Amino acid sequence: MIQFIFKNDKREATTGIYLIDAARRAGIECSWRDRGLDQYITPQIIVKVDDGDFDHYDYSKSSAPSFWWFIDPGTDFERGVKIGQNFDVTLCSQLPYVEALRGRGLNAYWLPLACDPMHHNTIYPDVSSRPIDLGFSGSVGDCGGWNKGRPEILQEATERFKNCIIRETVKGQNSMINGSCKVILNDNPYNNINMRHFEAISAGSVLVTRKPENSAIEKLGLSDSVLFYENKKEAMDQIDFALKNIKRFNEPTEALAAHYWQNHSYSNRLNEIIEMIRTAIEK
């Protein structure tokens, strides 16, 4: 039995929920708590998913293998280190931070985020037939400086591309936006391969995104349907190019989505965690 630990009071679609869905689809018994362990349940695996808050519970007291999936190391590195000290393994979604975590004494490995094909898909036969040109779903503000420059790039996109939907994440609408837009704009600070990257590709959209450096993004699989930018002007130019040539992206977007469904789903990530345990036992 897998015990998942995370809060889910901010939005309905989170990494933790996707992992639970993957476990249940695989027929794996699982339980969910926001903090701590249930005294009446003895888990075989403990997986804590980053929810942005501190967790002071000492999970090392349990004999079960324990994993801490650190999602946003760029926003609060020290918080992640502190939490990781109570777990056997720290899984970091962003490769550039793995060595730094190891340098702080954590048993750290790279485990990228993923997609859920059950949620991140589309009803349209090809990307060129979608009704909306451009979309963005996420935090539209700068979040106290965490997303510095995002309001400006989103404002420019809104003014330049009239057939667009750019909005704060709303319950039940994130997947709809990704699956209904020809192009998804991604602002990914802190050198991150973030959730929007996986959601947009899985939904078969053209993705216009900042290229994270030293992130091993190439290992995930890329195609002509992922367009990179370094500044606001380049972002607008890439969106414009994609929309003017949208039919050329029909096959690349479909192929890349299929690749991500096959290799980068939350079912894949759950299996990778289980394989880590199996490998450790065999040693």
Side-chain angles (χ1 to χ4, degrees):
M1 193 275 284
I2 302 178
Q3 177 71 72
F4 292 103
I5 311 291
F6 60 94
K7 288 183 179 179
N8 194 45
D9 54 358
K10 296 178 181 178
R11 58 189 61 178
E12 88 290 352
T14 66
T15 299
I17 292 296
Y18 294 139
L19 275 177
I20 289 176
D21 286 348
R24 289 173 174 167
R25 286 196 292 267
I28 299 173
E29 183 182 4
C30 61
S31 179
W32 168 30
R33 290 173 63 86
D34 61 358
R35 291 291 182 272
L37 297 175
D38 191 320
Q39 61 177 323
Y40 301 108
I41 297 177
T42 303
Q44 295 169 296
I45 304 172
I46 301 169
V47 179
K48 175 173 174 57
V49 181
D50 194 356
D51 54 26
D53 290 333
F54 274 96
D55 186 349
H56 301 288
Y57 188 89
D58 185 7
Y59 295 94
S60 64
K61 295 186 297 184
S62 173
S63 60
S66 58
F67 296 81
W68 155 233
W69 198 354
F70 191 15
I71 305 296
D72 292 314
T75 60
D76 197 346
F77 185 79
E78 293 302 321
R79 177 184 62 87
V81 171
K82 184 69 175 177
I83 294 175
Q85 292 168 350
N86 286 324
F87 289 83
D88 297 322
V89 176
T90 293
L91 305 169
C92 183
S93 67
Q94 311 301 333
L95 180 61
Y97 296 89
V98 170
E99 285 302 324
L101 291 168
R102 291 173 178 171
R104 298 293 294 274
L106 300 183
N107 186 22
Y109 298 89
W110 182 41
L111 188 71
L113 291 168
C115 65
D116 186 336
M118 297 293 290
H119 294 275
H120 309 135
N121 52 48
T122 184
I123 63 173
Y124 296 96
D126 49 56
V127 70
S128 64
S129 67
R130 298 184 183 186
I132 305 172
D133 287 342
L134 175 67
F136 174 92
S137 179
S139 300
V140 298
D142 68 356
C143 296
W146 286 2
N147 298 327
K148 186 177 181 181
R150 177 175 294 179
E152 290 77 15
I153 197 170
L154 295 181
Q155 181 63 33
E156 178 74 14
T158 302
E159 293 175 356
R160 183 163 173 178
F161 304 99
K162 301 304 181 184
N163 182 19
C164 70
I165 179 167
I166 294 176
R167 65 188 305 169
E168 194 80 22
T169 299
V170 177
K171 184 175 181 179
Q173 295 189 7
N174 189 34
S175 297
M176 180 193 71
I177 292 172
N178 285 305
S180 300
C181 295
K182 298 179 179 75
V183 178
I184 294 296
L185 173 61
N186 185 24
D187 175 57
N188 46 319
Y190 299 101
N191 212 28
N192 282 358
I193 306 174
N194 58 9
M195 276 293 297
R196 202 157 28 251
H197 171 99
F198 291 92
E199 292 170 351
I201 290 176
S202 179
S205 304
V206 177
L207 177 65
V208 174
T209 182
R210 297 183 193 274
K211 184 174 184 179
E213 299 298 328
N214 303 314
S215 63
I217 191 172
E218 294 83 4
K219 292 184 178 181
L220 299 177
L222 293 174
S223 81
D224 294 339
S225 61
V226 180
L227 306 178
F228 296 108
Y229 69 89
E230 294 185 2
N231 53 56
K232 183 170 63 175
K233 181 182 183 303
E234 287 185 4
M236 299 305 112
D237 289 346
Q238 292 285 46
I239 296 169
D240 190 53
F241 171 80
L243 292 175
K244 288 179 177 177
N245 300 277
I246 194 62
K247 288 188 177 181
R248 69 179 288 179
F249 294 103
N250 284 337
E251 292 185 8
T253 52
E254 182 178 354
L256 191 58
H259 173 75
Y260 269 55
W261 293 354
Q262 182 68 32
N263 298 284
H264 300 302
S265 71
Y266 280 100
S267 295
N268 294 127
R269 300 297 181 251
L270 185 61
N271 288 336
E272 290 175 58
I273 293 172
I274 294 172
E275 185 60 31
M276 286 182 186
I277 298 172
R278 183 179 293 113
T279 300
I281 291 173
E282 290 176 353
K283 287 182 179 180

